[in-house]
Amino acid sequence: MTQHWMIDVLLDLSQCAREHQYAALGEVLDDAILVAAAEFRQRGAVSDTGEGDDAQAGDRAGDAEGHSLR
């Protein structure tokens, strides 16, 4: 089962927090994205197709940094 949806949700929340001037909350959510990506990699999260989600999780973690609204 894929877990990448969790990173998508955290990314959306982080962006929303920054848009509403909750910078500290946005930073905490960005940290949560990195923790989630690391845990997915550590557990070797596997999707229904048999491919690892770690690359997707890493990509989404990078997206969070690239979309910083500071």
Side-chain angles (χ1 to χ4, degrees):
M1 180 176 180
T2 63
Q3 302 297 322
H4 66 273
W5 64 269
M6 287 186 212
I7 294 197
D8 290 338
V9 169
L10 290 169
L11 180 59
D12 288 345
L13 288 170
S14 174
Q15 290 173 340
C16 183
R18 291 180 194 282
E19 287 171 4
H20 291 92
Q21 282 96 42
Y22 293 105
L25 178 57
E27 289 178 18
V28 171
L29 290 164
D30 288 346
D31 291 343
I33 292 168
L34 296 175
V35 170
E39 286 196 355
F40 296 160
R41 269 190 229 97
Q42 182 181 33
R43 289 182 180 219
V46 178
S47 68
D48 294 334
T49 62
E51 297 175 15
D53 279 349
D54 58 340
Q56 289 179 338
D59 289 346
R60 285 179 178 79
D63 287 348
E65 294 171 7
H67 286 90
S68 178
L69 300 175
R70 292 181 216 176

